[in-house]
Amino acid sequence: MGKGRITPEELEQLKREVSLSKVAGSQGYTLRKQGKDYVVLCPFHIEKTPSCVISPGKNLYHCFGCGAAGSVLDWVQKTESLTYPQTLQRLRELAGSSSSLPASSSSAAVLASPPVRQTLTDLDDDGQALLQQVVSFYHQNLLNSPEALQWLEKRGLNHPELVSHFRLGFAGAHGVAGALPSPYSKAGKALRSRLKQLGVIRESNHQDHFRGCLVVPVVGGAESYDAASRGRVLQLYGRRTMADHLVLKGSAKHLYLPSPLAGIWNEAALKASSEVVLCEALIDAMTFWCAGYRNVIAAFGVNGFTAGHLAALQYHGVKRVLIAFDRDEAGDRGAQTVAEQLIGCGIEAWRVRFPQGLDANAYAVKSGNPESALALALEQAVRMDCACVTASGSITTRGETRPSLAALPGVQISSSVAETIACETTPSGELLLRCGPRVWRVRGWQKNPLSEVMKVNVQVLDESTGALHVDSFDMYHAKQRQAYVSCAATELACELSVVKRECGRVLLALEQQQGERLNAAEAEQHSAAVTVSGEEETAALALLKSPDLAERIVADLAACGVVGESSNLLTGYLAATSRKLDKPLAVLIQSSSAAGKSSLMDAVLGLIPEEERIQYSAMTGQSLYYLGETSLQHKILAIAEEEGVRQAAYALKLLQSDGELKIASTGKDESSGELVTREYRVQGPVMLMLTTTASDVDEELLNRCLVLTVNESRAQTEAIHAMQRRAQTLQGLLQCSEKQYLTRLHQNGQRLLRPLKVVNPYAEQLTFLSDKTRTRRDHMKYLTLIQSVALLHQYQREVKRVEHRGQWLEYIEVVPSDIALANRLAHEVLGRTLDEMPPQTRKLLLLIKEMVNGMAEQQGCQSAEVRFTRRDIRSYTNWSDNQLKVHCMRLTEMEYLLLHGGSRGHLLRYELLWDGGSVEENHLCGLLNVEDGEGSHRKLDDTQSKLPPSCGHVGAKLGAKKTDLEQAAEGLSSEVVGANKNAVIRVKKKMPLSPSPLLSNSSS
């Protein structure tokens, strides 16, 4: 017999010759004589009383505590942590034999290192030593394969202990076949022949059976139900990880050795827990393991639940199995088959239901949070049964049980529950219920916002004995409630049925209390509308009917402590009023830091009722989608800084353009607990108000907003300082009191405004610039601004009604004064918006032009010959260096300034290329003049046609005929003026608007 082999006869001889009792004694274990046998403390688990019996006659051992058993070979291998070849060598040494296993130690050393070529040596007849070396070879190959480790990472199997704990391996492109000696050598032929018998190498093509696969060994552990399988490699599972040009198309992704499917992967989990998760495949089981659920085992595929699995579950006393098979037709059939076997053996079967078409791994990876996702799936598992209706009244559908209200575990309902429950609420909000000698105290029930949740802290005290039990759990969770009832019955030494009945009564009382609280909250929400007293309503109506309402708004804002900014304030107030329209305006307030943009926004919002505005400092990307469906409808959404809303920018744009938001998200069905796709909707319209310090604002945002620019002039700063000083005086104290009155007055006026429809009978006569595509949106802003003015003056307009398709519509009409006011504001606001450069940059350009003209006069030269530095600009304007860097760079890029020098230590100088352009930069061209004037200007036609009662549409032509409109358009023919390449479109003949001192913005 060769030195590298051992015959069964020699193995049996070693087991007989080496005395197990002597080996145990030499290892330091204390043996106590008991009849013909010895008892000793079991080395395989912790115990105080010896339960391990060694029988010298049979030379075997058996522990009645943990079930460990075997021969002297098993004892030596486990107690000394040796491999199988090393154990044989150790037994030979103990038996005094001169034979050895010369290849074992050298092979182990070679296999522990990762050279390109390794050697495998067959050491026994049953192939276990060879399989152990194959497993070690695959394991080392995985540790040195970045591609395989990356595949594990991609599947979420990235726990740092996973690979080493389960000795995962990777066969690679060549596998074991590439590490064998030459096929022409005697050793190479012998090893290949043996590996073919084991199934590691295929007979057909002499290649590795697991080539290109992740390899998972199934090894019998010390706690295995089958003593003969402990420590043995029982099966290898291969999962193909990559496409290989040598692999035939259509080859299976899941591979096993041709030997019978045997063994339990992670059988130690069965010993540690009475509840276990059963997966369809090993990849799914490892997904649970990595997520922290160590009580998991796996079947060998959808039909791979073997008799060994069932025997192991019974052997270890498992009470409940959560079947986590794939959520497809095959997985459902397999789960039902497994459930029937489990229930037949008295083991509870529960179905873990993933979203349709997903398995555990795919579900965990797609969720982004495997721990939470798998926890939710396990929590929503449903009990399975074979019958359609169980004895407890639970309804079963296709093997899945949904408990009915009368059959909830742990709850018993009687017809006189309401009469037997004494319930009271303490001042601190605790709920007390007395049932006989037991007092139930419930805390935290008020924190549950939904009727489907009942997470509480429950304490039950037996006053007769002083025993109590307390825990926190969800009363609507059957398994949690059942666990609480069981523990409480044990602690109180009370009948389980009694505690069940009382827990059911507590649940019903909680439902009653929560229902009353939710109803009260809903009623309070409905009654939350602020009521306006008769006196306040009269004052508010007087304000809204004031003929100079626009002037009063600006004056009242000034009385509230706002300096200047009349056009911006009135525009912001009208935009806030537009929240009641179907397509509200949006406002972006732009300025440098500390210029007062937040004060401007707060001043406008202060006059809007609190219940009609929502203010946030920032918003996340998904936050808008989960607001209430009507929580934003006809309200103002104000964000402190544009930077704080960038994550939600896409949602805000949709809300502004479409008027509503929709999102599909995964949630649970309240009735069945199944994971389903749910739709969340947020309805508009909503008025959006933002502030920003950025000079470069997203073009998409600019297109949708009216841009208000804060006055940053020195005169404005001096006026603000004067106001701040005046606020410290007695006059300032009185002004603060007046501010409270004016704020209440305007809020009441806004509450009285109705969301009426607005009809513009002059719409077809209006004109607007059309030289850029973005004016399509700016034109709509202009029209909406007119509607906002009319809506604000609704108590000064006749409310008309028209019937259309059996429905009566109420509306008010625009009058020429509304268009005139909108035109004045549009010149100021939209004129700046349509300019090619931001207002701050335009202002700096004008200041530079003024500075250059002065320097040219001092130097006695032309303006084009003047060279100046940024320091000169800073000295002249008193602007900060950071501001100048940004705006000078923009002017240079737009070719208004030309750079000279700036390299190799030369001073950076500028040259002004702009000759001055037009002085009317903020004028919006193309608007129809609606004021009295002379020359060729055309006034709006005041002859308004009356809508007949039977009119089928509101958009009937009111005013001019088509020919008149054409003549008006001809009268407003435009031309390009100015030789500058950045010139704007101007109206050829126009009357200058007579500006109102009230509406003149100090920033112009």
Side-chain angles (χ1 to χ4, degrees), residues 554 557 564-574 600 604 708-709 785 824-829 832 996-1004:
V554 178
L557 284 169
E565 307 289 0
S566 57
S567 295
N568 287 339
L569 290 170
L570 185 55
T571 304
Y573 192 93
L574 289 171
L600 179 60
V604 173
L708 306 182
T709 306
L785 186 61
R824 295 171 188 171
L825 297 176
H827 284 305
E828 184 71 24
V829 177
R832 289 195 304 250
S996 169
L998 177 64
L999 296 177
S1000 60
N1001 194 329
S1002 57
S1003 64
S1004 60

PDB file of all heavy atoms in Angstrom, residues 554 557 564-574 600 604 708-709 785 824-829 832 996-1004:
ATOM      1  N   VAL A 554     -48.293  99.224  -1.035  1.00  0.00           N
ATOM      2  CA  VAL A 554     -46.898  99.664  -0.912  1.00  0.00           C
ATOM      3  C   VAL A 554     -46.721 100.554   0.309  1.00  0.00           C
ATOM      4  O   VAL A 554     -45.724 100.453   1.044  1.00  0.00           O
ATOM      5  CB  VAL A 554     -46.469 100.389  -2.201  1.00  0.00           C
ATOM      6  CG1 VAL A 554     -45.036 100.904  -2.066  1.00  0.00           C
ATOM      7  CG2 VAL A 554     -46.584  99.458  -3.388  1.00  0.00           C
ATOM      8  N   LEU A 557     -46.684  98.415   3.455  1.00  0.00           N
ATOM      9  CA  LEU A 557     -45.414  97.704   3.587  1.00  0.00           C
ATOM     10  C   LEU A 557     -44.322  98.649   4.071  1.00  0.00           C
ATOM     11  O   LEU A 557     -43.464  98.264   4.872  1.00  0.00           O
ATOM     12  CB  LEU A 557     -45.023  97.072   2.246  1.00  0.00           C
ATOM     13  CG  LEU A 557     -45.786  95.804   1.868  1.00  0.00           C
ATOM     14  CD1 LEU A 557     -45.525  95.415   0.425  1.00  0.00           C
ATOM     15  CD2 LEU A 557     -45.372  94.643   2.772  1.00  0.00           C
ATOM     16  N   GLY A 564     -38.029 101.454   0.541  1.00  0.00           N
ATOM     17  CA  GLY A 564     -37.953 101.391  -0.911  1.00  0.00           C
ATOM     18  C   GLY A 564     -38.543 100.104  -1.461  1.00  0.00           C
ATOM     19  O   GLY A 564     -39.495  99.535  -0.918  1.00  0.00           O
ATOM     20  N   GLU A 565     -37.982  99.655  -2.586  1.00  0.00           N
ATOM     21  CA  GLU A 565     -38.357  98.385  -3.228  1.00  0.00           C
ATOM     22  C   GLU A 565     -39.844  98.338  -3.553  1.00  0.00           C
ATOM     23  O   GLU A 565     -40.493  97.295  -3.454  1.00  0.00           O
ATOM     24  CB  GLU A 565     -38.010  97.192  -2.317  1.00  0.00           C
ATOM     25  CG  GLU A 565     -36.579  97.150  -1.832  1.00  0.00           C
ATOM     26  CD  GLU A 565     -35.583  96.804  -2.941  1.00  0.00           C
ATOM     27  OE1 GLU A 565     -36.012  96.604  -4.086  1.00  0.00           O
ATOM     28  OE2 GLU A 565     -34.394  96.769  -2.644  1.00  0.00           O
ATOM     29  N   SER A 566     -40.429  99.469  -3.958  1.00  0.00           N
ATOM     30  CA  SER A 566     -41.875  99.497  -4.162  1.00  0.00           C
ATOM     31  C   SER A 566     -42.323  98.544  -5.257  1.00  0.00           C
ATOM     32  O   SER A 566     -43.296  97.800  -5.092  1.00  0.00           O
ATOM     33  CB  SER A 566     -42.317 100.929  -4.487  1.00  0.00           C
ATOM     34  OG  SER A 566     -41.609 101.419  -5.629  1.00  0.00           O
ATOM     35  N   SER A 567     -41.613  98.554  -6.402  1.00  0.00           N
ATOM     36  CA  SER A 567     -42.013  97.665  -7.506  1.00  0.00           C
ATOM     37  C   SER A 567     -41.858  96.206  -7.120  1.00  0.00           C
ATOM     38  O   SER A 567     -42.719  95.373  -7.421  1.00  0.00           O
ATOM     39  CB  SER A 567     -41.184  97.975  -8.754  1.00  0.00           C
ATOM     40  OG  SER A 567     -41.458  99.268  -9.225  1.00  0.00           O
ATOM     41  N   ASN A 568     -40.745  95.877  -6.471  1.00  0.00           N
ATOM     42  CA  ASN A 568     -40.519  94.489  -6.046  1.00  0.00           C
ATOM     43  C   ASN A 568     -41.577  94.041  -5.056  1.00  0.00           C
ATOM     44  O   ASN A 568     -42.077  92.905  -5.126  1.00  0.00           O
ATOM     45  CB  ASN A 568     -39.126  94.347  -5.430  1.00  0.00           C
ATOM     46  CG  ASN A 568     -38.016  94.406  -6.466  1.00  0.00           C
ATOM     47  OD1 ASN A 568     -38.264  94.175  -7.646  1.00  0.00           O
ATOM     48  ND2 ASN A 568     -36.819  94.725  -6.023  1.00  0.00           N
ATOM     49  N   LEU A 569     -41.915  94.907  -4.104  1.00  0.00           N
ATOM     50  CA  LEU A 569     -42.910  94.544  -3.092  1.00  0.00           C
ATOM     51  C   LEU A 569     -44.284  94.327  -3.714  1.00  0.00           C
ATOM     52  O   LEU A 569     -44.977  93.352  -3.393  1.00  0.00           O
ATOM     53  CB  LEU A 569     -42.984  95.637  -2.027  1.00  0.00           C
ATOM     54  CG  LEU A 569     -41.766  95.749  -1.095  1.00  0.00           C
ATOM     55  CD1 LEU A 569     -41.859  97.007  -0.252  1.00  0.00           C
ATOM     56  CD2 LEU A 569     -41.658  94.520  -0.199  1.00  0.00           C
ATOM     57  N   LEU A 570     -44.684  95.223  -4.604  1.00  0.00           N
ATOM     58  CA  LEU A 570     -45.997  95.075  -5.219  1.00  0.00           C
ATOM     59  C   LEU A 570     -46.047  93.852  -6.127  1.00  0.00           C
ATOM     60  O   LEU A 570     -47.046  93.122  -6.152  1.00  0.00           O
ATOM     61  CB  LEU A 570     -46.347  96.336  -6.003  1.00  0.00           C
ATOM     62  CG  LEU A 570     -47.754  96.385  -6.621  1.00  0.00           C
ATOM     63  CD1 LEU A 570     -48.814  96.161  -5.558  1.00  0.00           C
ATOM     64  CD2 LEU A 570     -47.986  97.699  -7.340  1.00  0.00           C
ATOM     65  N   THR A 571     -44.955  93.600  -6.864  1.00  0.00           N
ATOM     66  CA  THR A 571     -44.903  92.405  -7.714  1.00  0.00           C
ATOM     67  C   THR A 571     -44.976  91.133  -6.870  1.00  0.00           C
ATOM     68  O   THR A 571     -45.694  90.181  -7.203  1.00  0.00           O
ATOM     69  CB  THR A 571     -43.616  92.405  -8.552  1.00  0.00           C
ATOM     70  OG1 THR A 571     -43.544  93.608  -9.317  1.00  0.00           O
ATOM     71  CG2 THR A 571     -43.579  91.210  -9.494  1.00  0.00           C
ATOM     72  N   GLY A 572     -44.226  91.106  -5.765  1.00  0.00           N
ATOM     73  CA  GLY A 572     -44.270  89.940  -4.883  1.00  0.00           C
ATOM     74  C   GLY A 572     -45.645  89.741  -4.276  1.00  0.00           C
ATOM     75  O   GLY A 572     -46.121  88.602  -4.139  1.00  0.00           O
ATOM     76  N   TYR A 573     -46.317  90.847  -3.920  1.00  0.00           N
ATOM     77  CA  TYR A 573     -47.672  90.751  -3.342  1.00  0.00           C
ATOM     78  C   TYR A 573     -48.654  90.206  -4.367  1.00  0.00           C
ATOM     79  O   TYR A 573     -49.488  89.344  -4.061  1.00  0.00           O
ATOM     80  CB  TYR A 573     -48.096  92.137  -2.866  1.00  0.00           C
ATOM     81  CG  TYR A 573     -49.338  92.146  -2.000  1.00  0.00           C
ATOM     82  CD1 TYR A 573     -49.244  92.093  -0.618  1.00  0.00           C
ATOM     83  CD2 TYR A 573     -50.600  92.206  -2.564  1.00  0.00           C
ATOM     84  CE1 TYR A 573     -50.383  92.102   0.186  1.00  0.00           C
ATOM     85  CE2 TYR A 573     -51.735  92.214  -1.778  1.00  0.00           C
ATOM     86  CZ  TYR A 573     -51.619  92.161  -0.394  1.00  0.00           C
ATOM     87  OH  TYR A 573     -52.744  92.168   0.384  1.00  0.00           O
ATOM     88  N   LEU A 574     -48.555  90.673  -5.616  1.00  0.00           N
ATOM     89  CA  LEU A 574     -49.435  90.166  -6.670  1.00  0.00           C
ATOM     90  C   LEU A 574     -49.136  88.705  -6.980  1.00  0.00           C
ATOM     91  O   LEU A 574     -50.051  87.910  -7.228  1.00  0.00           O
ATOM     92  CB  LEU A 574     -49.264  91.019  -7.934  1.00  0.00           C
ATOM     93  CG  LEU A 574     -49.828  92.440  -7.853  1.00  0.00           C
ATOM     94  CD1 LEU A 574     -49.400  93.247  -9.071  1.00  0.00           C
ATOM     95  CD2 LEU A 574     -51.346  92.415  -7.747  1.00  0.00           C
ATOM     96  N   LEU A 600     -37.118  91.106   2.096  1.00  0.00           N
ATOM     97  CA  LEU A 600     -38.132  91.371   1.089  1.00  0.00           C
ATOM     98  C   LEU A 600     -39.169  90.243   1.043  1.00  0.00           C
ATOM     99  O   LEU A 600     -40.377  90.481   1.004  1.00  0.00           O
ATOM    100  CB  LEU A 600     -37.467  91.545  -0.279  1.00  0.00           C
ATOM    101  CG  LEU A 600     -38.386  91.813  -1.482  1.00  0.00           C
ATOM    102  CD1 LEU A 600     -39.174  93.092  -1.272  1.00  0.00           C
ATOM    103  CD2 LEU A 600     -37.566  91.908  -2.755  1.00  0.00           C
ATOM    104  N   VAL A 604     -43.347  90.347   2.282  1.00  0.00           N
ATOM    105  CA  VAL A 604     -44.497  89.947   1.476  1.00  0.00           C
ATOM    106  C   VAL A 604     -45.254  88.814   2.157  1.00  0.00           C
ATOM    107  O   VAL A 604     -46.489  88.844   2.276  1.00  0.00           O
ATOM    108  CB  VAL A 604     -44.041  89.533   0.066  1.00  0.00           C
ATOM    109  CG1 VAL A 604     -45.207  88.958  -0.722  1.00  0.00           C
ATOM    110  CG2 VAL A 604     -43.441  90.721  -0.668  1.00  0.00           C
ATOM    111  N   LEU A 708     -36.818  89.137  -9.155  1.00  0.00           N
ATOM    112  CA  LEU A 708     -36.790  90.426  -8.472  1.00  0.00           C
ATOM    113  C   LEU A 708     -35.384  90.669  -7.965  1.00  0.00           C
ATOM    114  O   LEU A 708     -34.811  89.810  -7.291  1.00  0.00           O
ATOM    115  CB  LEU A 708     -37.784  90.443  -7.308  1.00  0.00           C
ATOM    116  CG  LEU A 708     -39.245  90.078  -7.636  1.00  0.00           C
ATOM    117  CD1 LEU A 708     -40.104  90.196  -6.386  1.00  0.00           C
ATOM    118  CD2 LEU A 708     -39.788  90.955  -8.743  1.00  0.00           C
ATOM    119  N   THR A 709     -34.822  91.831  -8.292  1.00  0.00           N
ATOM    120  CA  THR A 709     -33.458  92.164  -7.894  1.00  0.00           C
ATOM    121  C   THR A 709     -33.492  93.232  -6.820  1.00  0.00           C
ATOM    122  O   THR A 709     -34.125  94.278  -6.996  1.00  0.00           O
ATOM    123  CB  THR A 709     -32.641  92.662  -9.097  1.00  0.00           C
ATOM    124  OG1 THR A 709     -32.716  91.690 -10.135  1.00  0.00           O
ATOM    125  CG2 THR A 709     -31.195  92.866  -8.713  1.00  0.00           C
ATOM    126  N   LEU A 785     -49.751  87.972 -14.693  1.00  0.00           N
ATOM    127  CA  LEU A 785     -49.627  89.169 -13.862  1.00  0.00           C
ATOM    128  C   LEU A 785     -50.867  90.048 -14.009  1.00  0.00           C
ATOM    129  O   LEU A 785     -51.369  90.610 -13.021  1.00  0.00           O
ATOM    130  CB  LEU A 785     -48.370  89.941 -14.273  1.00  0.00           C
ATOM    131  CG  LEU A 785     -47.999  91.153 -13.417  1.00  0.00           C
ATOM    132  CD1 LEU A 785     -47.728  90.725 -11.977  1.00  0.00           C
ATOM    133  CD2 LEU A 785     -46.769  91.857 -13.988  1.00  0.00           C
ATOM    134  N   ARG A 824     -46.608  98.512 -16.123  1.00  0.00           N
ATOM    135  CA  ARG A 824     -45.586  99.229 -15.351  1.00  0.00           C
ATOM    136  C   ARG A 824     -44.659  98.262 -14.622  1.00  0.00           C
ATOM    137  O   ARG A 824     -43.443  98.437 -14.593  1.00  0.00           O
ATOM    138  CB  ARG A 824     -46.260 100.163 -14.347  1.00  0.00           C
ATOM    139  CG  ARG A 824     -47.048 101.285 -14.982  1.00  0.00           C
ATOM    140  CD  ARG A 824     -47.860 102.036 -13.950  1.00  0.00           C
ATOM    141  NE  ARG A 824     -48.757 103.000 -14.576  1.00  0.00           N
ATOM    142  CZ  ARG A 824     -49.706 103.663 -13.929  1.00  0.00           C
ATOM    143  NH1 ARG A 824     -49.872 103.446 -12.627  1.00  0.00           N
ATOM    144  NH2 ARG A 824     -50.488 104.524 -14.556  1.00  0.00           N
ATOM    145  N   LEU A 825     -45.265  97.235 -14.025  1.00  0.00           N
ATOM    146  CA  LEU A 825     -44.434  96.248 -13.313  1.00  0.00           C
ATOM    147  C   LEU A 825     -43.644  95.384 -14.292  1.00  0.00           C
ATOM    148  O   LEU A 825     -42.515  94.988 -14.005  1.00  0.00           O
ATOM    149  CB  LEU A 825     -45.326  95.380 -12.432  1.00  0.00           C
ATOM    150  CG  LEU A 825     -46.065  96.116 -11.309  1.00  0.00           C
ATOM    151  CD1 LEU A 825     -46.995  95.157 -10.584  1.00  0.00           C
ATOM    152  CD2 LEU A 825     -45.083  96.738 -10.332  1.00  0.00           C
ATOM    153  N   ALA A 826     -44.234  95.064 -15.445  1.00  0.00           N
ATOM    154  CA  ALA A 826     -43.537  94.229 -16.417  1.00  0.00           C
ATOM    155  C   ALA A 826     -42.308  94.924 -16.957  1.00  0.00           C
ATOM    156  O   ALA A 826     -41.273  94.294 -17.208  1.00  0.00           O
ATOM    157  CB  ALA A 826     -44.479  93.853 -17.558  1.00  0.00           C
ATOM    158  N   HIS A 827     -42.402  96.255 -17.183  1.00  0.00           N
ATOM    159  CA  HIS A 827     -41.223  96.997 -17.643  1.00  0.00           C
ATOM    160  C   HIS A 827     -40.073  96.852 -16.642  1.00  0.00           C
ATOM    161  O   HIS A 827     -38.923  96.704 -17.035  1.00  0.00           O
ATOM    162  CB  HIS A 827     -41.571  98.479 -17.820  1.00  0.00           C
ATOM    163  CG  HIS A 827     -42.364  98.767 -19.052  1.00  0.00           C
ATOM    164  ND1 HIS A 827     -41.949  98.403 -20.306  1.00  0.00           N
ATOM    165  CD2 HIS A 827     -43.571  99.388 -19.226  1.00  0.00           C
ATOM    166  CE1 HIS A 827     -42.844  98.775 -21.196  1.00  0.00           C
ATOM    167  NE2 HIS A 827     -43.850  99.368 -20.565  1.00  0.00           N
ATOM    168  N   GLU A 828     -40.406  96.872 -15.371  1.00  0.00           N
ATOM    169  CA  GLU A 828     -39.373  96.801 -14.334  1.00  0.00           C
ATOM    170  C   GLU A 828     -38.860  95.386 -14.122  1.00  0.00           C
ATOM    171  O   GLU A 828     -37.655  95.162 -14.012  1.00  0.00           O
ATOM    172  CB  GLU A 828     -39.945  97.344 -13.017  1.00  0.00           C
ATOM    173  CG  GLU A 828     -38.934  97.412 -11.871  1.00  0.00           C
ATOM    174  CD  GLU A 828     -37.909  98.494 -12.086  1.00  0.00           C
ATOM    175  OE1 GLU A 828     -38.193  99.458 -12.817  1.00  0.00           O
ATOM    176  OE2 GLU A 828     -36.806  98.365 -11.526  1.00  0.00           O
ATOM    177  N   VAL A 829     -39.775  94.419 -14.088  1.00  0.00           N
ATOM    178  CA  VAL A 829     -39.395  93.044 -13.725  1.00  0.00           C
ATOM    179  C   VAL A 829     -39.003  92.233 -14.952  1.00  0.00           C
ATOM    180  O   VAL A 829     -37.892  91.723 -15.053  1.00  0.00           O
ATOM    181  CB  VAL A 829     -40.552  92.358 -12.965  1.00  0.00           C
ATOM    182  CG1 VAL A 829     -40.179  90.922 -12.651  1.00  0.00           C
ATOM    183  CG2 VAL A 829     -40.868  93.113 -11.699  1.00  0.00           C
ATOM    184  N   ARG A 832     -35.882  93.440 -16.858  1.00  0.00           N
ATOM    185  CA  ARG A 832     -34.600  92.961 -16.332  1.00  0.00           C
ATOM    186  C   ARG A 832     -34.392  91.493 -16.651  1.00  0.00           C
ATOM    187  O   ARG A 832     -33.295  91.038 -16.933  1.00  0.00           O
ATOM    188  CB  ARG A 832     -34.567  93.164 -14.812  1.00  0.00           C
ATOM    189  CG  ARG A 832     -34.454  94.597 -14.379  1.00  0.00           C
ATOM    190  CD  ARG A 832     -34.065  94.676 -12.921  1.00  0.00           C
ATOM    191  NE  ARG A 832     -34.990  93.943 -12.064  1.00  0.00           N
ATOM    192  CZ  ARG A 832     -35.835  94.510 -11.223  1.00  0.00           C
ATOM    193  NH1 ARG A 832     -35.896  95.822 -11.140  1.00  0.00           N
ATOM    194  NH2 ARG A 832     -36.622  93.776 -10.484  1.00  0.00           N
ATOM    195  N   SER A 996     -45.472 106.558 -11.983  1.00  0.00           N
ATOM    196  CA  SER A 996     -46.021 106.969 -10.692  1.00  0.00           C
ATOM    197  C   SER A 996     -44.903 107.027  -9.678  1.00  0.00           C
ATOM    198  O   SER A 996     -44.068 106.129  -9.617  1.00  0.00           O
ATOM    199  CB  SER A 996     -47.091 105.971 -10.241  1.00  0.00           C
ATOM    200  OG  SER A 996     -47.437 106.227  -8.909  1.00  0.00           O
ATOM    201  N   PRO A 997     -44.814 108.086  -8.875  1.00  0.00           N
ATOM    202  CA  PRO A 997     -43.762 108.137  -7.848  1.00  0.00           C
ATOM    203  C   PRO A 997     -43.819 106.923  -6.928  1.00  0.00           C
ATOM    204  O   PRO A 997     -42.822 106.476  -6.413  1.00  0.00           O
ATOM    205  CB  PRO A 997     -44.065 109.433  -7.091  1.00  0.00           C
ATOM    206  CG  PRO A 997     -44.913 110.235  -8.017  1.00  0.00           C
ATOM    207  CD  PRO A 997     -45.696 109.256  -8.841  1.00  0.00           C
ATOM    208  N   LEU A 998     -45.024 106.391  -6.730  1.00  0.00           N
ATOM    209  CA  LEU A 998     -45.180 105.239  -5.840  1.00  0.00           C
ATOM    210  C   LEU A 998     -44.523 104.008  -6.417  1.00  0.00           C
ATOM    211  O   LEU A 998     -43.942 103.213  -5.697  1.00  0.00           O
ATOM    212  CB  LEU A 998     -46.669 104.985  -5.614  1.00  0.00           C
ATOM    213  CG  LEU A 998     -47.039 103.767  -4.760  1.00  0.00           C
ATOM    214  CD1 LEU A 998     -46.526 103.965  -3.352  1.00  0.00           C
ATOM    215  CD2 LEU A 998     -48.526 103.555  -4.771  1.00  0.00           C
ATOM    216  N   LEU A 999     -44.610 103.838  -7.747  1.00  0.00           N
ATOM    217  CA  LEU A 999     -44.137 102.621  -8.383  1.00  0.00           C
ATOM    218  C   LEU A 999     -42.734 102.756  -8.915  1.00  0.00           C
ATOM    219  O   LEU A 999     -42.250 101.876  -9.598  1.00  0.00           O
ATOM    220  CB  LEU A 999     -45.084 102.235  -9.531  1.00  0.00           C
ATOM    221  CG  LEU A 999     -46.500 101.881  -9.098  1.00  0.00           C
ATOM    222  CD1 LEU A 999     -47.352 101.582 -10.312  1.00  0.00           C
ATOM    223  CD2 LEU A 999     -46.475 100.681  -8.182  1.00  0.00           C
ATOM    224  N   SER A1000     -42.049 103.854  -8.681  1.00  0.00           N
ATOM    225  CA  SER A1000     -40.666 103.999  -9.167  1.00  0.00           C
ATOM    226  C   SER A1000     -39.739 103.294  -8.213  1.00  0.00           C
ATOM    227  O   SER A1000     -39.633 103.649  -7.053  1.00  0.00           O
ATOM    228  CB  SER A1000     -40.308 105.479  -9.271  1.00  0.00           C
ATOM    229  OG  SER A1000     -40.425 106.092  -8.006  1.00  0.00           O
ATOM    230  N   ASN A1001     -39.063 102.278  -8.720  1.00  0.00           N
ATOM    231  CA  ASN A1001     -38.152 101.486  -7.879  1.00  0.00           C
ATOM    232  C   ASN A1001     -36.844 102.250  -7.722  1.00  0.00           C
ATOM    233  O   ASN A1001     -36.230 102.675  -8.700  1.00  0.00           O
ATOM    234  CB  ASN A1001     -37.901 100.127  -8.535  1.00  0.00           C
ATOM    235  CG  ASN A1001     -37.270  99.166  -7.574  1.00  0.00           C
ATOM    236  OD1 ASN A1001     -36.527  99.571  -6.691  1.00  0.00           O
ATOM    237  ND2 ASN A1001     -37.567  97.890  -7.729  1.00  0.00           N
ATOM    238  N   SER A1002     -36.414 102.401  -6.509  1.00  0.00           N
ATOM    239  CA  SER A1002     -35.174 103.142  -6.256  1.00  0.00           C
ATOM    240  C   SER A1002     -33.957 102.444  -6.788  1.00  0.00           C
ATOM    241  O   SER A1002     -32.883 102.994  -6.791  1.00  0.00           O
ATOM    242  CB  SER A1002     -35.020 103.367  -4.748  1.00  0.00           C
ATOM    243  OG  SER A1002     -35.040 102.132  -4.079  1.00  0.00           O
ATOM    244  N   SER A1003     -34.113 101.175  -7.204  1.00  0.00           N
ATOM    245  CA  SER A1003     -32.956 100.448  -7.739  1.00  0.00           C
ATOM    246  C   SER A1003     -32.715 100.750  -9.192  1.00  0.00           C
ATOM    247  O   SER A1003     -31.728 100.330  -9.759  1.00  0.00           O
ATOM    248  CB  SER A1003     -33.166  98.938  -7.571  1.00  0.00           C
ATOM    249  OG  SER A1003     -34.268  98.519  -8.329  1.00  0.00           O
ATOM    250  N   SER A1004     -33.668 101.459  -9.889  1.00  0.00           N
ATOM    251  CA  SER A1004     -33.487 101.718 -11.316  1.00  0.00           C
ATOM    252  C   SER A1004     -32.398 102.743 -11.526  1.00  0.00           C
ATOM    253  O   SER A1004     -32.175 103.616 -10.705  1.00  0.00           O
ATOM    254  CB  SER A1004     -34.802 102.182 -11.929  1.00  0.00           C
ATOM    255  OG  SER A1004     -35.231 103.353 -11.298  1.00  0.00           O
TER     256      SER A1004
END
